[in-house]
Amino acid sequence: QVQLVESGGGLVQAGGSLRLSCAASGRTFSSYAMAWFRQAPGKEREFVAAIRWSGDRTYYADSVKNRFTISGDNAKNTVYLQMNSLKPEDTAGYYCAADPVSGIPWSKNYNYWGQGTQVTVSS
């Protein structure tokens, strides 16, 4: 099994920035796409951003578009999420995912998931 490990979460004031990282550990692999999802307490997990390695395509939820930027290194199976202009409503656990089963980057059906990293934005 492939293990994904997130890092970079923390506490930040509204308007601030954080950069999240996600990398595979153990068995390395090549994936069609990698993505970030988030889940706040009592709410469903939602799509945030994804990158499709073929053509280096990126996808964003409307709520984060123009504020967050996803990037990565396919050779290292590593993905990053630069989060700018953070808002209190961005507070959530952020989860990395790899290999969408259907090939749809914004779907919730991924083969591999990380353990999550907490992002808390204060007002």
mmCIF file of all heavy atoms in Angstrom, residues 50-102:
data_model
loop_
_atom_site.group_PDB
_atom_site.id
_atom_site.type_symbol
_atom_site.label_atom_id
_atom_site.label_comp_id
_atom_site.label_asym_id
_atom_site.label_seq_id
_atom_site.Cartn_x
_atom_site.Cartn_y
_atom_site.Cartn_z
ATOM 1 N N ALA A 50 -6.983 19.995 -7.528
ATOM 2 C CA ALA A 50 -6.357 18.797 -8.070
ATOM 3 C C ALA A 50 -5.415 19.164 -9.197
ATOM 4 O O ALA A 50 -5.561 20.218 -9.833
ATOM 5 C CB ALA A 50 -7.406 17.803 -8.572
ATOM 6 N N ILE A 51 -4.461 18.288 -9.446
ATOM 7 C CA ILE A 51 -3.553 18.450 -10.571
ATOM 8 C C ILE A 51 -3.494 17.144 -11.349
ATOM 9 O O ILE A 51 -3.307 16.072 -10.775
ATOM 10 C CB ILE A 51 -2.147 18.904 -10.113
ATOM 11 C CG1 ILE A 51 -1.232 19.111 -11.324
ATOM 12 C CG2 ILE A 51 -1.539 17.925 -9.118
ATOM 13 C CD1 ILE A 51 0.054 19.852 -10.981
ATOM 14 N N ARG A 52 -3.708 17.231 -12.652
ATOM 15 C CA ARG A 52 -3.581 16.099 -13.552
ATOM 16 C C ARG A 52 -2.239 16.208 -14.243
ATOM 17 O O ARG A 52 -1.956 17.213 -14.898
ATOM 18 C CB ARG A 52 -4.721 16.093 -14.583
ATOM 19 C CG ARG A 52 -4.850 14.797 -15.372
ATOM 20 C CD ARG A 52 -5.860 14.942 -16.491
ATOM 21 N NE ARG A 52 -5.318 15.711 -17.598
ATOM 22 C CZ ARG A 52 -6.035 16.225 -18.588
ATOM 23 N NH1 ARG A 52 -7.350 16.067 -18.605
ATOM 24 N NH2 ARG A 52 -5.441 16.897 -19.561
ATOM 25 N N TRP A 53 -1.407 15.188 -14.074
ATOM 26 C CA TRP A 53 -0.042 15.294 -14.546
ATOM 27 C C TRP A 53 0.066 15.423 -16.060
ATOM 28 O O TRP A 53 0.907 16.164 -16.561
ATOM 29 C CB TRP A 53 0.773 14.095 -14.058
ATOM 30 C CG TRP A 53 0.810 13.996 -12.572
ATOM 31 C CD1 TRP A 53 0.343 12.976 -11.795
ATOM 32 C CD2 TRP A 53 1.334 14.975 -11.663
ATOM 33 N NE1 TRP A 53 0.546 13.238 -10.468
ATOM 34 C CE2 TRP A 53 1.153 14.465 -10.361
ATOM 35 C CE3 TRP A 53 1.949 16.219 -11.835
ATOM 36 C CZ2 TRP A 53 1.560 15.168 -9.226
ATOM 37 C CZ3 TRP A 53 2.339 16.923 -10.699
ATOM 38 C CH2 TRP A 53 2.144 16.389 -9.422
ATOM 39 N N SER A 54 -0.770 14.705 -16.790
ATOM 40 C CA SER A 54 -0.781 14.816 -18.237
ATOM 41 C C SER A 54 -1.301 16.193 -18.632
ATOM 42 O O SER A 54 -2.466 16.523 -18.398
ATOM 43 C CB SER A 54 -1.650 13.721 -18.858
ATOM 44 O OG SER A 54 -1.680 13.847 -20.262
ATOM 45 N N GLY A 55 -0.435 16.992 -19.211
ATOM 46 C CA GLY A 55 -0.799 18.340 -19.589
ATOM 47 C C GLY A 55 -0.707 19.334 -18.449
ATOM 48 O O GLY A 55 -0.970 20.530 -18.647
ATOM 49 N N ASP A 56 -0.345 18.850 -17.266
ATOM 50 C CA ASP A 56 -0.201 19.702 -16.080
ATOM 51 C C ASP A 56 -1.463 20.528 -15.838
ATOM 52 O O ASP A 56 -1.402 21.722 -15.529
ATOM 53 C CB ASP A 56 1.015 20.611 -16.241
ATOM 54 C CG ASP A 56 1.514 21.164 -14.923
ATOM 55 O OD1 ASP A 56 1.316 20.498 -13.888
ATOM 56 O OD2 ASP A 56 2.109 22.246 -14.919
ATOM 57 N N ARG A 57 -2.617 19.888 -15.967
ATOM 58 C CA ARG A 57 -3.894 20.554 -15.756
ATOM 59 C C ARG A 57 -4.207 20.706 -14.274
ATOM 60 O O ARG A 57 -3.916 19.813 -13.484
ATOM 61 C CB ARG A 57 -5.016 19.760 -16.424
ATOM 62 C CG ARG A 57 -4.956 19.731 -17.934
ATOM 63 C CD ARG A 57 -5.623 20.940 -18.515
ATOM 64 N NE ARG A 57 -5.801 20.823 -19.950
ATOM 65 C CZ ARG A 57 -6.525 21.663 -20.682
ATOM 66 N NH1 ARG A 57 -7.143 22.679 -20.098
ATOM 67 N NH2 ARG A 57 -6.621 21.491 -21.982
ATOM 68 N N THR A 58 -4.787 21.826 -13.912
ATOM 69 C CA THR A 58 -5.203 22.054 -12.534
ATOM 70 C C THR A 58 -6.689 22.341 -12.462
ATOM 71 O O THR A 58 -7.290 22.848 -13.409
ATOM 72 C CB THR A 58 -4.421 23.208 -11.894
ATOM 73 O OG1 THR A 58 -4.595 24.394 -12.678
ATOM 74 C CG2 THR A 58 -2.942 22.875 -11.820
ATOM 75 N N TYR A 59 -7.284 22.020 -11.315
ATOM 76 C CA TYR A 59 -8.713 22.180 -11.096
ATOM 77 C C TYR A 59 -8.918 22.738 -9.693
ATOM 78 O O TYR A 59 -8.219 22.358 -8.759
ATOM 79 C CB TYR A 59 -9.442 20.836 -11.234
ATOM 80 C CG TYR A 59 -9.109 20.092 -12.505
ATOM 81 C CD1 TYR A 59 -7.958 19.307 -12.594
ATOM 82 C CD2 TYR A 59 -9.942 20.174 -13.618
ATOM 83 C CE1 TYR A 59 -7.642 18.627 -13.761
ATOM 84 C CE2 TYR A 59 -9.638 19.498 -14.790
ATOM 85 C CZ TYR A 59 -8.485 18.728 -14.855
ATOM 86 O OH TYR A 59 -8.181 18.058 -16.021
ATOM 87 N N TYR A 60 -9.896 23.628 -9.536
ATOM 88 C CA TYR A 60 -10.134 24.269 -8.257
ATOM 89 C C TYR A 60 -11.620 24.370 -7.944
ATOM 90 O O TYR A 60 -12.447 24.582 -8.836
ATOM 91 C CB TYR A 60 -9.556 25.686 -8.228
ATOM 92 C CG TYR A 60 -8.065 25.743 -8.391
ATOM 93 C CD1 TYR A 60 -7.492 25.928 -9.640
ATOM 94 C CD2 TYR A 60 -7.224 25.613 -7.285
ATOM 95 C CE1 TYR A 60 -6.119 25.983 -9.793
ATOM 96 C CE2 TYR A 60 -5.849 25.665 -7.426
ATOM 97 C CZ TYR A 60 -5.307 25.852 -8.689
ATOM 98 O OH TYR A 60 -3.939 25.905 -8.831
ATOM 99 N N ALA A 61 -11.945 24.239 -6.672
ATOM 100 C CA ALA A 61 -13.283 24.565 -6.220
ATOM 101 C C ALA A 61 -13.474 26.071 -6.312
ATOM 102 O O ALA A 61 -12.528 26.844 -6.147
ATOM 103 C CB ALA A 61 -13.492 24.097 -4.782
ATOM 104 N N ASP A 62 -14.703 26.496 -6.585
ATOM 105 C CA ASP A 62 -14.979 27.925 -6.714
ATOM 106 C C ASP A 62 -14.605 28.703 -5.447
ATOM 107 O O ASP A 62 -14.195 29.861 -5.521
ATOM 108 C CB ASP A 62 -16.456 28.153 -7.034
ATOM 109 C CG ASP A 62 -16.821 27.739 -8.448
ATOM 110 O OD1 ASP A 62 -15.903 27.599 -9.286
ATOM 111 O OD2 ASP A 62 -18.021 27.556 -8.720
ATOM 112 N N SER A 63 -14.732 28.069 -4.299
ATOM 113 C CA SER A 63 -14.490 28.736 -3.032
ATOM 114 C C SER A 63 -13.022 29.100 -2.801
ATOM 115 O O SER A 63 -12.722 29.962 -1.985
ATOM 116 C CB SER A 63 -14.987 27.873 -1.872
ATOM 117 O OG SER A 63 -14.333 26.616 -1.862
ATOM 118 N N VAL A 64 -12.110 28.449 -3.530
ATOM 119 C CA VAL A 64 -10.683 28.708 -3.324
ATOM 120 C C VAL A 64 -9.983 29.234 -4.566
ATOM 121 O O VAL A 64 -8.815 29.639 -4.496
ATOM 122 C CB VAL A 64 -9.942 27.450 -2.820
ATOM 123 C CG1 VAL A 64 -10.611 26.896 -1.581
ATOM 124 C CG2 VAL A 64 -9.868 26.386 -3.915
ATOM 125 N N LYS A 65 -10.666 29.237 -5.679
ATOM 126 C CA LYS A 65 -10.065 29.703 -6.925
ATOM 127 C C LYS A 65 -9.586 31.147 -6.774
ATOM 128 O O LYS A 65 -10.270 31.982 -6.198
ATOM 129 C CB LYS A 65 -11.069 29.600 -8.070
ATOM 130 C CG LYS A 65 -10.445 29.699 -9.452
ATOM 131 C CD LYS A 65 -11.468 29.403 -10.533
ATOM 132 C CE LYS A 65 -10.844 29.427 -11.921
ATOM 133 N NZ LYS A 65 -9.840 28.359 -12.092
ATOM 134 N N ASN A 66 -8.403 31.424 -7.278
ATOM 135 C CA ASN A 66 -7.736 32.729 -7.212
ATOM 136 C C ASN A 66 -7.088 33.006 -5.859
ATOM 137 O O ASN A 66 -6.447 34.044 -5.681
ATOM 138 C CB ASN A 66 -8.676 33.879 -7.581
ATOM 139 C CG ASN A 66 -9.233 33.753 -8.982
ATOM 140 O OD1 ASN A 66 -8.506 33.421 -9.919
ATOM 141 N ND2 ASN A 66 -10.521 34.020 -9.137
ATOM 142 N N ARG A 67 -7.248 32.080 -4.905
ATOM 143 C CA ARG A 67 -6.572 32.202 -3.614
ATOM 144 C C ARG A 67 -5.571 31.075 -3.379
ATOM 145 O O ARG A 67 -4.514 31.295 -2.797
ATOM 146 C CB ARG A 67 -7.584 32.225 -2.469
ATOM 147 C CG ARG A 67 -8.538 33.409 -2.505
ATOM 148 C CD ARG A 67 -9.336 33.506 -1.204
ATOM 149 N NE ARG A 67 -10.165 32.322 -0.986
ATOM 150 C CZ ARG A 67 -10.074 31.531 0.072
ATOM 151 N NH1 ARG A 67 -9.194 31.790 1.035
ATOM 152 N NH2 ARG A 67 -10.887 30.485 0.199
ATOM 153 N N PHE A 68 -5.928 29.870 -3.808
ATOM 154 C CA PHE A 68 -5.072 28.700 -3.626
ATOM 155 C C PHE A 68 -4.431 28.309 -4.948
ATOM 156 O O PHE A 68 -5.023 28.490 -6.017
ATOM 157 C CB PHE A 68 -5.877 27.499 -3.114
ATOM 158 C CG PHE A 68 -6.427 27.649 -1.725
ATOM 159 C CD1 PHE A 68 -6.336 28.838 -1.020
ATOM 160 C CD2 PHE A 68 -7.053 26.569 -1.119
ATOM 161 C CE1 PHE A 68 -6.852 28.964 0.262
ATOM 162 C CE2 PHE A 68 -7.574 26.676 0.157
ATOM 163 C CZ PHE A 68 -7.473 27.873 0.847
ATOM 164 N N THR A 69 -3.233 27.738 -4.876
ATOM 165 C CA THR A 69 -2.543 27.251 -6.059
ATOM 166 C C THR A 69 -1.980 25.863 -5.788
ATOM 167 O O THR A 69 -1.246 25.671 -4.819
ATOM 168 C CB THR A 69 -1.395 28.182 -6.476
ATOM 169 O OG1 THR A 69 -1.907 29.496 -6.741
ATOM 170 C CG2 THR A 69 -0.723 27.663 -7.744
ATOM 171 N N ILE A 70 -2.332 24.906 -6.640
ATOM 172 C CA ILE A 70 -1.802 23.563 -6.508
ATOM 173 C C ILE A 70 -0.654 23.375 -7.494
ATOM 174 O O ILE A 70 -0.709 23.850 -8.627
ATOM 175 C CB ILE A 70 -2.899 22.492 -6.718
ATOM 176 C CG1 ILE A 70 -2.360 21.100 -6.373
ATOM 177 C CG2 ILE A 70 -3.459 22.528 -8.131
ATOM 178 C CD1 ILE A 70 -3.436 20.020 -6.320
ATOM 179 N N SER A 71 0.381 22.698 -7.058
ATOM 180 C CA SER A 71 1.522 22.390 -7.903
ATOM 181 C C SER A 71 2.135 21.084 -7.418
ATOM 182 O O SER A 71 1.749 20.564 -6.369
ATOM 183 C CB SER A 71 2.560 23.513 -7.883
ATOM 184 O OG SER A 71 3.082 23.697 -6.579
ATOM 185 N N GLY A 72 3.081 20.552 -8.167
ATOM 186 C CA GLY A 72 3.681 19.312 -7.725
ATOM 187 C C GLY A 72 4.813 18.838 -8.598
ATOM 188 O O GLY A 72 5.183 19.476 -9.589
ATOM 189 N N ASP A 73 5.359 17.715 -8.206
ATOM 190 C CA ASP A 73 6.447 17.062 -8.906
ATOM 191 C C ASP A 73 6.026 15.622 -9.123
ATOM 192 O O ASP A 73 6.048 14.813 -8.196
ATOM 193 C CB ASP A 73 7.727 17.152 -8.080
ATOM 194 C CG ASP A 73 8.935 16.606 -8.813
ATOM 195 O OD1 ASP A 73 8.784 15.796 -9.736
ATOM 196 O OD2 ASP A 73 10.059 16.999 -8.448
ATOM 197 N N ASN A 74 5.647 15.286 -10.350
ATOM 198 C CA ASN A 74 5.154 13.945 -10.643
ATOM 199 C C ASN A 74 6.210 12.872 -10.382
ATOM 200 O O ASN A 74 5.884 11.786 -9.908
ATOM 201 C CB ASN A 74 4.671 13.873 -12.091
ATOM 202 C CG ASN A 74 4.013 12.554 -12.424
ATOM 203 O OD1 ASN A 74 3.287 11.982 -11.600
ATOM 204 N ND2 ASN A 74 4.249 12.064 -13.625
ATOM 205 N N ALA A 75 7.463 13.187 -10.695
ATOM 206 C CA ALA A 75 8.537 12.221 -10.502
ATOM 207 C C ALA A 75 8.696 11.843 -9.035
ATOM 208 O O ALA A 75 9.102 10.723 -8.712
ATOM 209 C CB ALA A 75 9.853 12.761 -11.055
ATOM 210 N N LYS A 76 8.374 12.766 -8.150
ATOM 211 C CA LYS A 76 8.484 12.529 -6.713
ATOM 212 C C LYS A 76 7.145 12.169 -6.071
ATOM 213 O O LYS A 76 7.091 11.960 -4.857
ATOM 214 C CB LYS A 76 9.057 13.758 -6.014
ATOM 215 C CG LYS A 76 10.465 14.126 -6.449
ATOM 216 C CD LYS A 76 10.953 15.363 -5.705
ATOM 217 C CE LYS A 76 12.362 15.731 -6.121
ATOM 218 N NZ LYS A 76 12.848 16.950 -5.416
ATOM 219 N N ASN A 77 6.084 12.115 -6.886
ATOM 220 C CA ASN A 77 4.732 11.879 -6.363
ATOM 221 C C ASN A 77 4.434 12.823 -5.204
ATOM 222 O O ASN A 77 3.947 12.409 -4.144
ATOM 223 C CB ASN A 77 4.565 10.421 -5.941
ATOM 224 C CG ASN A 77 4.587 9.476 -7.125
ATOM 225 O OD1 ASN A 77 3.817 9.642 -8.072
ATOM 226 N ND2 ASN A 77 5.459 8.483 -7.076
ATOM 227 N N THR A 78 4.732 14.082 -5.430
ATOM 228 C CA THR A 78 4.586 15.111 -4.414
ATOM 229 C C THR A 78 3.694 16.229 -4.929
ATOM 230 O O THR A 78 3.791 16.625 -6.092
ATOM 231 C CB THR A 78 5.957 15.683 -4.021
ATOM 232 O OG1 THR A 78 6.788 14.630 -3.510
ATOM 233 C CG2 THR A 78 5.813 16.756 -2.956
ATOM 234 N N VAL A 79 2.828 16.730 -4.073
ATOM 235 C CA VAL A 79 1.941 17.816 -4.440
ATOM 236 C C VAL A 79 1.945 18.865 -3.336
ATOM 237 O O VAL A 79 2.126 18.543 -2.154
ATOM 238 C CB VAL A 79 0.509 17.300 -4.715
ATOM 239 C CG1 VAL A 79 -0.150 16.782 -3.441
ATOM 240 C CG2 VAL A 79 -0.340 18.368 -5.385
ATOM 241 N N TYR A 80 1.762 20.125 -3.733
ATOM 242 C CA TYR A 80 1.755 21.240 -2.803
ATOM 243 C C TYR A 80 0.464 22.026 -2.951
ATOM 244 O O TYR A 80 -0.171 22.009 -4.005
ATOM 245 C CB TYR A 80 2.939 22.176 -3.061
ATOM 246 C CG TYR A 80 4.275 21.476 -3.095
ATOM 247 C CD1 TYR A 80 4.838 21.084 -4.307
ATOM 248 C CD2 TYR A 80 4.967 21.201 -1.926
ATOM 249 C CE1 TYR A 80 6.057 20.437 -4.347
ATOM 250 C CE2 TYR A 80 6.188 20.554 -1.959
ATOM 251 C CZ TYR A 80 6.730 20.176 -3.164
ATOM 252 O OH TYR A 80 7.943 19.536 -3.198
ATOM 253 N N LEU A 81 0.100 22.722 -1.896
ATOM 254 C CA LEU A 81 -1.043 23.619 -1.944
ATOM 255 C C LEU A 81 -0.650 24.931 -1.280
ATOM 256 O O LEU A 81 -0.503 24.992 -0.061
ATOM 257 C CB LEU A 81 -2.261 23.014 -1.247
ATOM 258 C CG LEU A 81 -3.554 23.819 -1.368
ATOM 259 C CD1 LEU A 81 -4.045 23.824 -2.817
ATOM 260 C CD2 LEU A 81 -4.634 23.267 -0.442
ATOM 261 N N GLN A 82 -0.452 25.953 -2.095
ATOM 262 C CA GLN A 82 -0.170 27.290 -1.587
ATOM 263 C C GLN A 82 -1.500 27.971 -1.298
ATOM 264 O O GLN A 82 -2.319 28.148 -2.201
ATOM 265 C CB GLN A 82 0.630 28.099 -2.604
ATOM 266 C CG GLN A 82 0.949 29.518 -2.164
ATOM 267 C CD GLN A 82 1.861 29.564 -0.963
ATOM 268 O OE1 GLN A 82 2.861 28.855 -0.910
ATOM 269 N NE2 GLN A 82 1.517 30.388 0.015
ATOM 270 N N MET A 83 -1.711 28.351 -0.053
ATOM 271 C CA MET A 83 -2.973 28.908 0.392
ATOM 272 C C MET A 83 -2.757 30.358 0.812
ATOM 273 O O MET A 83 -2.083 30.625 1.802
ATOM 274 C CB MET A 83 -3.536 28.096 1.561
ATOM 275 C CG MET A 83 -3.587 26.596 1.286
ATOM 276 S SD MET A 83 -3.811 25.594 2.786
ATOM 277 C CE MET A 83 -5.444 26.097 3.279
ATOM 278 N N ASN A 84 -3.315 31.280 0.049
ATOM 279 C CA ASN A 84 -3.199 32.704 0.332
ATOM 280 C C ASN A 84 -4.557 33.293 0.683
ATOM 281 O O ASN A 84 -5.593 32.705 0.394
ATOM 282 C CB ASN A 84 -2.612 33.448 -0.871
ATOM 283 C CG ASN A 84 -1.219 32.999 -1.229
ATOM 284 O OD1 ASN A 84 -0.427 32.636 -0.360
ATOM 285 N ND2 ASN A 84 -0.903 33.045 -2.521
ATOM 286 N N SER A 85 -4.535 34.470 1.290
ATOM 287 C CA SER A 85 -5.762 35.177 1.665
ATOM 288 C C SER A 85 -6.720 34.266 2.418
ATOM 289 O O SER A 85 -7.915 34.196 2.122
ATOM 290 C CB SER A 85 -6.438 35.755 0.414
ATOM 291 O OG SER A 85 -5.574 36.640 -0.267
ATOM 292 N N LEU A 86 -6.198 33.574 3.397
ATOM 293 C CA LEU A 86 -6.991 32.599 4.133
ATOM 294 C C LEU A 86 -8.127 33.249 4.909
ATOM 295 O O LEU A 86 -7.986 34.355 5.432
ATOM 296 C CB LEU A 86 -6.100 31.802 5.081
ATOM 297 C CG LEU A 86 -5.254 30.725 4.392
ATOM 298 C CD1 LEU A 86 -4.106 30.286 5.289
ATOM 299 C CD2 LEU A 86 -6.129 29.531 4.023
ATOM 300 N N LYS A 87 -9.244 32.542 4.961
ATOM 301 C CA LYS A 87 -10.444 32.993 5.646
ATOM 302 C C LYS A 87 -10.798 32.010 6.756
ATOM 303 O O LYS A 87 -10.436 30.843 6.685
ATOM 304 C CB LYS A 87 -11.614 33.084 4.666
ATOM 305 C CG LYS A 87 -11.358 33.947 3.441
ATOM 306 C CD LYS A 87 -12.523 33.858 2.469
ATOM 307 C CE LYS A 87 -12.274 34.701 1.233
ATOM 308 N NZ LYS A 87 -13.402 34.592 0.262
ATOM 309 N N PRO A 88 -11.521 32.460 7.780
ATOM 310 C CA PRO A 88 -11.935 31.535 8.844
ATOM 311 C C PRO A 88 -12.682 30.315 8.306
ATOM 312 O O PRO A 88 -12.544 29.222 8.862
ATOM 313 C CB PRO A 88 -12.839 32.399 9.728
ATOM 314 C CG PRO A 88 -12.290 33.776 9.565
ATOM 315 C CD PRO A 88 -11.882 33.858 8.116
ATOM 316 N N GLU A 89 -13.456 30.472 7.248
ATOM 317 C CA GLU A 89 -14.193 29.358 6.677
ATOM 318 C C GLU A 89 -13.303 28.334 5.984
ATOM 319 O O GLU A 89 -13.777 27.268 5.584
ATOM 320 C CB GLU A 89 -15.279 29.849 5.703
ATOM 321 C CG GLU A 89 -14.774 30.846 4.678
ATOM 322 C CD GLU A 89 -15.055 32.288 5.069
ATOM 323 O OE1 GLU A 89 -14.795 32.646 6.238
ATOM 324 O OE2 GLU A 89 -15.541 33.055 4.211
ATOM 325 N N ASP A 90 -12.008 28.631 5.834
ATOM 326 C CA ASP A 90 -11.058 27.657 5.317
ATOM 327 C C ASP A 90 -10.602 26.676 6.392
ATOM 328 O O ASP A 90 -9.913 25.699 6.085
ATOM 329 C CB ASP A 90 -9.829 28.353 4.727
ATOM 330 C CG ASP A 90 -10.148 29.176 3.496
ATOM 331 O OD1 ASP A 90 -10.935 28.705 2.647
ATOM 332 O OD2 ASP A 90 -9.602 30.290 3.372
ATOM 333 N N THR A 91 -10.958 26.936 7.634
ATOM 334 C CA THR A 91 -10.570 26.070 8.737
ATOM 335 C C THR A 91 -11.120 24.662 8.534
ATOM 336 O O THR A 91 -12.325 24.474 8.374
ATOM 337 C CB THR A 91 -11.070 26.633 10.072
ATOM 338 O OG1 THR A 91 -10.432 27.890 10.329
ATOM 339 C CG2 THR A 91 -10.757 25.679 11.217
ATOM 340 N N ALA A 92 -10.235 23.677 8.517
ATOM 341 C CA ALA A 92 -10.629 22.292 8.266
ATOM 342 C C ALA A 92 -9.409 21.398 8.345
ATOM 343 O O ALA A 92 -8.270 21.869 8.376
ATOM 344 C CB ALA A 92 -11.276 22.153 6.889
ATOM 345 N N GLY A 93 -9.649 20.092 8.379
ATOM 346 C CA GLY A 93 -8.589 19.139 8.145
ATOM 347 C C GLY A 93 -8.400 18.991 6.648
ATOM 348 O O GLY A 93 -9.373 18.831 5.915
ATOM 349 N N TYR A 94 -7.171 19.072 6.198
ATOM 350 C CA TYR A 94 -6.874 18.983 4.769
ATOM 351 C C TYR A 94 -6.238 17.635 4.465
ATOM 352 O O TYR A 94 -5.285 17.221 5.124
ATOM 353 C CB TYR A 94 -5.960 20.123 4.336
ATOM 354 C CG TYR A 94 -6.701 21.431 4.168
ATOM 355 C CD1 TYR A 94 -7.170 22.115 5.284
ATOM 356 C CD2 TYR A 94 -6.953 21.962 2.913
ATOM 357 C CE1 TYR A 94 -7.878 23.296 5.147
ATOM 358 C CE2 TYR A 94 -7.654 23.146 2.764
ATOM 359 C CZ TYR A 94 -8.113 23.812 3.882
ATOM 360 O OH TYR A 94 -8.814 24.989 3.738
ATOM 361 N N TYR A 95 -6.762 16.960 3.448
ATOM 362 C CA TYR A 95 -6.353 15.608 3.112
ATOM 363 C C TYR A 95 -5.835 15.531 1.689
ATOM 364 O O TYR A 95 -6.431 16.089 0.768
ATOM 365 C CB TYR A 95 -7.530 14.642 3.268
ATOM 366 C CG TYR A 95 -8.057 14.562 4.682
ATOM 367 C CD1 TYR A 95 -8.978 15.486 5.156
ATOM 368 C CD2 TYR A 95 -7.622 13.564 5.548
ATOM 369 C CE1 TYR A 95 -9.456 15.427 6.453
ATOM 370 C CE2 TYR A 95 -8.098 13.495 6.844
ATOM 371 C CZ TYR A 95 -9.011 14.426 7.287
ATOM 372 O OH TYR A 95 -9.486 14.356 8.576
ATOM 373 N N CYS A 96 -4.742 14.831 1.518
ATOM 374 C CA CYS A 96 -4.157 14.588 0.214
ATOM 375 C C CYS A 96 -4.680 13.273 -0.345
ATOM 376 O O CYS A 96 -4.904 12.315 0.397
ATOM 377 C CB CYS A 96 -2.634 14.542 0.349
ATOM 378 S SG CYS A 96 -1.743 14.183 -1.171
ATOM 379 N N ALA A 97 -4.885 13.226 -1.657
ATOM 380 C CA ALA A 97 -5.365 12.018 -2.311
ATOM 381 C C ALA A 97 -4.607 11.787 -3.611
ATOM 382 O O ALA A 97 -4.148 12.730 -4.250
ATOM 383 C CB ALA A 97 -6.867 12.123 -2.597
ATOM 384 N N ALA A 98 -4.494 10.526 -4.008
ATOM 385 C CA ALA A 98 -3.797 10.169 -5.239
ATOM 386 C C ALA A 98 -4.542 9.075 -5.985
ATOM 387 O O ALA A 98 -5.160 8.207 -5.371
ATOM 388 C CB ALA A 98 -2.376 9.708 -4.933
ATOM 389 N N ASP A 99 -4.476 9.140 -7.297
ATOM 390 C CA ASP A 99 -5.076 8.155 -8.195
ATOM 391 C C ASP A 99 -6.596 8.132 -8.149
ATOM 392 O O ASP A 99 -7.191 7.293 -7.466
ATOM 393 C CB ASP A 99 -4.538 6.756 -7.900
ATOM 394 C CG ASP A 99 -3.151 6.523 -8.434
ATOM 395 O OD1 ASP A 99 -2.770 7.181 -9.415
ATOM 396 O OD2 ASP A 99 -2.442 5.673 -7.865
ATOM 397 N N PRO A 100 -7.253 9.031 -8.872
ATOM 398 C CA PRO A 100 -8.719 8.964 -8.940
ATOM 399 C C PRO A 100 -9.157 7.708 -9.673
ATOM 400 O O PRO A 100 -8.666 7.413 -10.762
ATOM 401 C CB PRO A 100 -9.096 10.232 -9.716
ATOM 402 C CG PRO A 100 -7.881 10.539 -10.540
ATOM 403 C CD PRO A 100 -6.710 10.138 -9.691
ATOM 404 N N VAL A 101 -10.079 6.974 -9.065
ATOM 405 C CA VAL A 101 -10.522 5.703 -9.635
ATOM 406 C C VAL A 101 -11.180 5.908 -10.991
ATOM 407 O O VAL A 101 -10.933 5.157 -11.933
ATOM 408 C CB VAL A 101 -11.481 4.983 -8.668
ATOM 409 C CG1 VAL A 101 -12.039 3.717 -9.307
ATOM 410 C CG2 VAL A 101 -10.760 4.640 -7.372
ATOM 411 N N SER A 102 -12.013 6.926 -11.099
ATOM 412 C CA SER A 102 -12.746 7.195 -12.325
ATOM 413 C C SER A 102 -11.971 8.050 -13.312
ATOM 414 O O SER A 102 -12.396 8.215 -14.456
ATOM 415 C CB SER A 102 -14.070 7.886 -12.003
ATOM 416 O OG SER A 102 -13.842 9.173 -11.466
#
